[in-house]
Amino acid sequence: MKLSDIKNKETVVITKVLGHGSFRKRINEMGFIKGKQVRVLNKTPFNGPIEYKILNYNISLRHSEAELIEVIPIKDFKEPATSNYSGVINRNVIPNEVQAGNKTINIALVGNPNCGKTTLYNYISGAKEKVGNYSGVTVDIKMASVKLKGYTLNFYDLPGTYSLTAYSPEEIYVRKFIYEQTPDIIINVLDASNIERNLFLTTQLIDMDVRVVVALNMFDELKKQSLSTNYNSLAKLVGIPFIPTVSSKGTGLKKLLNKVIEVFEGKDEFTRHIHINYGKEIERSIGQIRKKIQENKPITDKISSRFIAIKLLEKDQQINELLSKYPNFEEIKSITEKEIKRIELLENEDSESIITDAKYGFIAGALKETFNQPRQALKTRSEKIDHLLTHQVWGFPIFILLLVLVFYATFKLGVYPMNWIDMGIAQIAGFVSSILGEGMLRDLLVNGIISGTGSVLVFLPNILILFFFISLLEGTGYMARAAFIMDKIMHRFGLHGRSFIPLIMGFGCNVPAILATRTLRNKGDRILTMLIIPFMSCSARLPVYILIISAFFQKYQALYLAGIYLIGIAIAFLTAQLLNKTIFRNKETPFVMELPAYRMPTLRNILYHMWDKTHHYLKKIGSVILIGVIIIWALEYFPRETGKSAEFKARIEKIESNSVMDNDEKEAASQLISREMEANRLANSYLGRIGDFIQPAMRPLGFDWKMSISLLAGLPAKEVIVSTMGVLYQSGKANTVNLQKKLRDEVYTYGEYSGNRVFNNASALAFLIFILIYFPCIGVIATIKNESGHWKWAIFTVFYTTGLAWLAAFAVYQVGSMLV
């Protein structure tokens, strides 16, 4: 039978994994090996991926991938008479002496995704790195230092990885860091409730012959599931100390750091050098290859020759490339091929699977002696929740409903603090106006800095509310389910299901979202995902959306906001399909993704996440936006005189000297001429001249020159659009707040449209669409260039997004104008 044929809630046993290459390598390492039990949990909406349970964790596979796994009913399976558990090989190695005066310990944090590694790093270091309950949160190395017992402990938080095989960029990244930077100690963070699968990475660290301390993390969840482990016995068996921790609460972390120092000083009772015994035939092959490798000392000075030999038997391409420059590479290659052929003939299985089976055999044997797992309930808490949230019928509607609720709360709950901040800014502006006389300084402070930065600051509550919900969804583990639900749809548009997590991250900020594409193995998938992330509405665009929607769409505001986001997603998918059929033509990559257990994120992590975004937002207001506001104000403020200024002043003097008109009539007439004079000055200011230059290109979209300038100013950062509009549309008016009302009241003061309102529903909607699609920001363009490795993709993004924005806004305005 095929695994794809098994019905919901049935449990079967794996007999064989078919297929080849990266899929088979990854699926083996995730525990899909002969003799392991698999339970079918759930099928996603749209006949997409299927959720399975293996080794006490949940994973999703597509139907086409499940077809490559042969299974039999559990009642038909017979345990083999012999076990492939061969124990360990003890090594007599003299411990490294601590050099006098060496008081620095470099520590690498290594672990599977979702094991709590970054939470542990945050708690130890006091850092505030992003924490999420899904793969790919840590996309780069983070470093922090801690002082303890006279030592400086340098911690390096490496990307989460399931193994050290050259399968994905993060795996190569972690492996290269270990053998190039040679950290003194590796803290291997394990999920205690999922220890069997997590120990696979530990076996590879043992092969690398590095000093390891294991943080048996989430130990409280182990107890909740009525599981128990004799971790000291396990430590004696594998020669590595195990320290129980609960990183979210800080439990056991002090003991963990003390243990690191003990291991560094060579005083730990459990630490000893061992080899995993892979059995007589594999050990013979490892020995033969090692002899040839050890003829070249430079490479074995940093990388264990045993690790290299094992990786060569696993047909690891990156290790082959690493050895290719050595003079005896052909001899190494020849003997490796000979040994692979020999053991594959003996075992009737490919060499990669043989070694993986041996590793899991070692893990199973070690846990049999040290781990107690009573009969598990048929349904865990996570599986009960998934029965509803990833239901074949209700899963997708619930996902859409959650998105709408997030946007509704962002809009409605944010109104009250927005008004308070708005009133506060008005009070500050009024106070500054009252203590300063008329002149350039007052204009700069009130109409420039306070009005411009205040226009952006007022949307801070909405940003906070949005990020509260995003961090809540990330921390609980629902984001991984979103990728699970969306894979079938994304697959039809040429995207990988794992692309959905970087896309969702793009709602916060496009830059880390682009960095998160490193979790995608296929380079074409990565670049394609990078190119469509800018269509995800980042938090910088949110203030503009709320400003325009609040001003011109009084009803169904949450639906308008959700609609803008959904339009961005739709454009991203359509672009992906277009590029996939023309430029990329990607080779399909498997959808193998862990679905982590649901966890309630700590308030500490949520607040850290929110504060990080708030700090970033306030920092941007105090730097990029403030500079932009001052530049825009200066371009708008100068020159002060035009060719018609004298004429306007003469007209005002004539009215004031008119003896027929009463004072009220004089004031009304003077104000009318003053507004005409200010409009003329604005049109002839440096900013007005720039706007006049680009106006012919933007007029078909329904944009006046002020809107056009605002879009231009938004190239460094999208928040600058709001601050620029705050500067431009307040001109000549005493009150500097309530920008929405000013936009509604704005009229053309000259030309063929004189007297007509600048904004209507059609132009407002076109403006929103243009902001959604056009040039993301300079930071995003630079990140695309760095991550793709070529300027062509960055330049393509600039022209494609801006050209598409113009066409879409043109269509919306022209059609909207006809309907209105």
Side-chain angles (χ1 to χ4, degrees):
M1 291 189 295
K2 306 290 187 184
L3 184 58
S4 55
D5 300 326
I6 306 304
K7 295 178 182 177
N8 268 4
K9 316 309 176 192
E10 287 189 16
T11 302
V12 290
V13 177
I14 298 169
T15 57
K16 193 171 186 180
V17 178
L18 305 174
H20 61 277
S22 60
F23 166 72
R24 187 167 184 177
K25 186 189 293 286
R26 169 53 82 227
I27 210 75
N28 283 164
E29 291 176 346
M30 299 294 278
F32 283 81
I33 59 174
K34 185 178 179 180
K36 293 298 180 184
Q37 293 185 15
V38 186
R39 181 174 173 79
V40 183
L41 295 180
N42 198 13
K43 295 189 177 180
T44 194
F46 314 113
N47 294 317
I50 305 166
E51 183 179 0
Y52 299 98
K53 183 168 188 173
I54 186 170
L55 298 182
N56 202 36
Y57 78 100
N58 298 357
I59 189 170
S60 62
L61 301 175
R62 290 190 184 124
H63 189 275
S64 58
E65 291 150 8
E67 282 184 334
L68 298 174
I69 301 170
E70 293 183 355
V71 296
I72 59 172
I74 196 167
K75 61 182 175 60
D76 296 337
F77 177 69
K78 294 180 181 178
E79 289 281 352
T82 57
S83 170
N84 59 352
Y85 172 55
S86 304
V88 299
I89 302 168
N90 288 313
R91 300 170 57 217
N92 296 318
V93 178
I94 300 171
N96 293 331
E97 292 185 9
V98 180
Q99 293 179 358
N102 184 9
K103 291 294 183 179
T104 300
I105 307 176
N106 294 314
I107 304 159
L109 293 176
V110 177
N112 286 192
N114 311 310
C115 67
K117 178 176 56 62
T118 300
T119 306
L120 186 145
Y121 170 82
N122 285 346
Y123 209 102
I124 288 174
S125 65
K128 302 177 180 66
E129 297 303 336
K130 188 178 180 184
V131 174
N133 192 6
Y134 57 88
S135 173
V137 174
T138 307
V139 293
D140 210 336
I141 291 179
K142 312 293 190 303
M143 186 268 187
S145 295
V146 173
K147 301 282 186 181
L148 183 67
K149 292 185 175 181
Y151 285 97
T152 299
L153 308 181
N154 295 325
F155 290 92
Y156 298 88
D157 183 23
L158 304 184
T161 177
Y162 292 108
S163 82
L164 299 178
T165 302
Y167 173 80
S168 64
E170 67 265 26
E171 290 173 351
I172 297 171
Y173 198 62
V174 171
R175 190 166 81 182
K176 283 184 72 175
F177 180 88
I178 293 171
Y179 70 68
E180 287 182 356
Q181 303 301 321
T182 59
D184 300 300
I185 305 286
I186 299 219
I187 293 181
N188 181 201
V189 186
L190 305 185
D191 177 354
S193 63
N194 191 6
I195 192 168
E196 187 172 2
R197 208 282 314 288
N198 278 238
L199 277 171
F200 186 85
L201 179 59
T202 312
T203 64
Q204 294 181 318
L205 293 172
I206 292 172
D207 290 338
M208 289 194 86
D209 199 18
V210 291
R211 288 187 288 181
V212 180
V213 176
V214 168
L216 205 54
N217 202 27
M218 303 181 191
F219 203 72
D220 53 342
E221 293 193 15
L222 188 86
K223 294 177 179 178
K224 285 178 186 176
Q225 296 180 29
S226 301
L227 306 175
S228 64
T229 179
N230 187 337
Y231 52 84
N232 284 331
S233 295
L234 186 59
K236 288 177 183 176
L237 184 63
V238 299
I240 297 171
F242 283 68
I243 307 297
T245 61
V246 183
S247 57
S248 59
K249 299 175 183 175
T251 307
L253 299 189
K254 187 174 181 181
K255 189 176 179 182
L256 177 69
L257 298 189
N258 287 328
K259 183 59 69 176
V260 165
I261 293 173
E262 279 185 35
V263 172
F264 182 72
E265 293 177 341
K267 297 177 181 178
D268 176 60
E269 60 178 312
F270 297 118
T271 301
R272 64 193 175 98
H273 289 265
I274 65 163
H275 289 327
I276 294 169
N277 189 344
Y278 290 109
K280 181 181 176 182
E281 298 304 330
I282 298 177
E283 288 296 336
R284 176 185 160 185
S285 295
I286 292 171
Q288 292 295 322
I289 298 169
R290 284 184 76 189
K291 286 178 185 176
K292 281 295 171 189
I293 295 169
Q294 287 172 334
E295 291 176 9
N296 290 283
K297 283 292 180 186
I299 193 167
T300 55
D301 286 344
K302 287 194 171 185
I303 314 176
S304 160
S305 60
R306 181 177 175 86
F307 177 76
I308 295 172
I310 291 168
K311 286 298 163 192
L312 286 171
L313 286 173
E314 291 180 330
K315 305 169 188 174
D316 190 298
Q317 187 59 38
Q318 203 246 351
I319 289 291
N320 272 286
E321 290 171 5
L322 201 63
L323 295 172
S324 62
K325 297 177 184 177
Y326 286 84
N328 66 340
F329 173 65
E330 290 303 322
E331 294 177 67
I332 295 171
K333 187 177 176 183
S334 175
I335 197 168
T336 299
E337 289 172 353
K338 179 184 172 184
E339 291 302 319
I340 286 173
K341 188 175 180 180
R342 185 183 69 83
I343 61 174
E344 286 184 345
L345 283 171
L346 280 171
E347 301 288 342
N348 194 28
E349 183 66 273
D350 71 274
S351 58
E352 299 165 78
S353 299
I354 294 167
I355 292 173
T356 302
D357 286 354
K359 284 184 184 291
Y360 273 111
F362 167 75
I363 292 166
L367 292 180
K368 191 173 184 180
E369 299 178 21
T370 60
F371 189 71
N372 177 38
Q373 182 171 348
R375 183 178 175 83
Q376 293 289 298
L378 287 178
K379 270 192 177 184
T380 64
R381 182 187 62 177
S382 291
E383 287 160 22
K384 289 174 183 176
I385 297 171
D386 270 346
H387 183 68
L388 176 64
L389 295 187
T390 61
H391 191 272
Q392 208 165 355
V393 176
W394 302 111
F396 189 71
I398 289 171
F399 170 63
I400 296 298
L401 180 62
L402 281 173
L403 286 181
V404 172
L405 286 174
V406 167
F407 296 133
Y408 181 82
T410 300
F411 217 108
K412 291 298 180 183
L413 295 181
V415 167
Y416 305 103
M418 273 178 67
N419 289 336
W420 301 334
I421 295 172
D422 206 10
M423 288 187 287
I425 293 168
Q427 293 292 327
I428 294 170
F431 174 73
V432 172
S433 293
S434 66
I435 62 172
L436 292 177
E438 283 192 19
M440 187 170 72
L441 178 61
R442 188 176 83 170
D443 201 282
L444 170 64
L445 291 176
V446 176
N447 295 331
I449 293 172
I450 295 174
S451 182
T453 58
S455 301
V456 182
L457 186 64
V458 77
F459 297 104
L460 181 60
N462 305 92
I463 302 290
L464 281 171
I465 292 167
L466 179 66
F467 276 106
F468 169 79
F469 284 108
I470 287 178
S471 76
L472 192 64
L473 292 174
E474 288 175 349
T476 56
Y478 184 74
M479 285 299 194
R481 270 71 182 183
F484 175 66
I485 291 167
M486 291 295 294
D487 177 68
K488 185 70 175 181
I489 295 173
M490 298 186 73
H491 193 50
R492 288 184 176 177
F493 288 95
L495 288 166
H496 194 276
R498 289 179 70 95
S499 299
F500 191 71
I501 288 174
L503 292 176
I504 287 289
M505 289 175 69
F507 288 143
C509 178
N510 288 172
V511 171
I514 291 167
L515 293 174
T517 59
R518 293 178 187 176
T519 60
L520 297 165
R521 180 179 177 272
N522 183 285
K523 186 177 181 181
D525 285 333
R526 288 201 302 277
I527 295 176
L528 180 57
T529 307
M530 283 179 213
L531 296 180
I532 64 171
I533 281 173
F535 297 119
M536 301 296 106
S537 294
C538 64
S539 58
R541 295 180 177 116
L542 184 61
V544 194
Y545 295 161
I546 293 174
L547 171 68
I548 300 300
I549 291 171
S550 300
F552 299 101
F553 304 100
Q554 301 303 313
K555 293 182 179 180
Y556 313 116
Q557 292 179 336
L559 290 179
Y560 273 104
L561 184 61
I564 290 294
Y565 279 76
L566 290 173
I567 288 170
I569 294 170
I571 292 171
F573 282 6
L574 291 171
T575 296
Q577 190 171 47
L578 175 66
L579 296 179
N580 202 46
K581 288 183 176 180
T582 53
I583 299 175
F584 292 99
R585 301 178 185 272
N586 282 335
K587 182 182 177 183
E588 187 172 305
T589 52
F591 181 73
V592 181
M593 182 174 180
E594 181 184 357
L595 298 177
Y598 285 102
R599 298 188 180 104
M600 183 55 68
T602 64
L603 182 62
R604 186 175 187 265
N605 283 335
I606 290 176
L607 293 178
Y608 270 168
H609 189 196
M610 291 172 66
W611 165 245
D612 180 58
K613 297 303 173 185
T614 305
H615 177 258
H616 180 74
Y617 191 71
L618 293 174
K619 188 177 178 181
K620 195 182 279 189
I621 289 174
S623 55
V624 175
I625 294 171
L626 180 61
I627 293 168
V629 160
I630 293 171
I631 292 171
I632 293 294
W633 172 85
L635 291 172
E636 177 265 344
Y637 190 77
F638 297 105
R640 301 301 297 164
E641 301 288 334
T642 72
K644 292 187 175 182
S645 294
E647 179 187 331
F648 284 117
K649 288 176 181 178
R651 287 171 61 190
I652 291 171
E653 287 175 6
K654 186 176 180 181
I655 288 170
E656 288 176 349
S657 62
N658 191 318
S659 57
V660 178
M661 300 171 68
D662 60 31
N663 288 337
D664 289 341
E665 289 175 330
K666 286 180 182 180
E667 185 176 351
S670 295
Q671 284 183 355
L672 183 64
I673 296 170
S674 295
R675 282 197 291 271
E676 288 182 30
M677 182 170 69
E678 180 61 18
N680 177 260
R681 191 199 65 76
L682 262 179
N684 286 279
S685 67
Y686 297 127
L687 200 61
R689 293 171 194 176
I690 297 171
D692 190 54
F693 176 75
I694 62 175
Q695 178 65 9
M698 308 306 281
R699 181 60 244 170
L701 314 183
F703 302 168
D704 74 336
W705 70 268
K706 294 180 184 179
M707 295 162 73
S708 305
I709 287 294
S710 300
L711 292 170
L712 194 62
L715 297 184
K718 292 295 171 283
E719 298 97 334
V720 180
I721 294 173
V722 176
S723 59
T724 301
M725 296 178 87
V727 172
L728 292 177
Y729 287 102
Q730 54 72 35
S731 184
K733 302 174 186 179
N735 186 9
T736 63
V737 295
N738 201 351
L739 183 55
Q740 288 99 329
K741 186 175 186 303
K742 294 172 186 175
L743 294 179
R744 286 195 296 269
D745 295 341
E746 186 73 13
V747 295
Y748 290 101
T749 54
Y750 66 95
E752 59 179 306
Y753 300 103
S754 183
N756 292 343
R757 290 194 182 278
V758 171
F759 278 97
N760 55 37
N761 286 4
S763 60
L765 194 56
F767 194 62
L768 287 173
I769 295 296
F770 195 92
I771 288 165
L772 164 69
I773 303 173
Y774 92 117
F775 189 105
C777 76
I778 291 170
V780 170
I781 298 303
T783 307
I784 289 174
K785 182 265 173 186
N786 291 336
E787 291 300 303
S788 66
H790 206 291
W791 269 112
K792 69 178 181 181
W793 298 117
I795 294 168
F796 173 81
T797 301
V798 170
F799 286 99
Y800 177 73
T801 56
T802 306
L804 185 61
W806 193 95
L807 291 172
F810 175 79
V812 167
Y813 178 68
Q814 296 300 329
V815 173
S817 296
M818 287 189 287
L819 293 175
V820 172

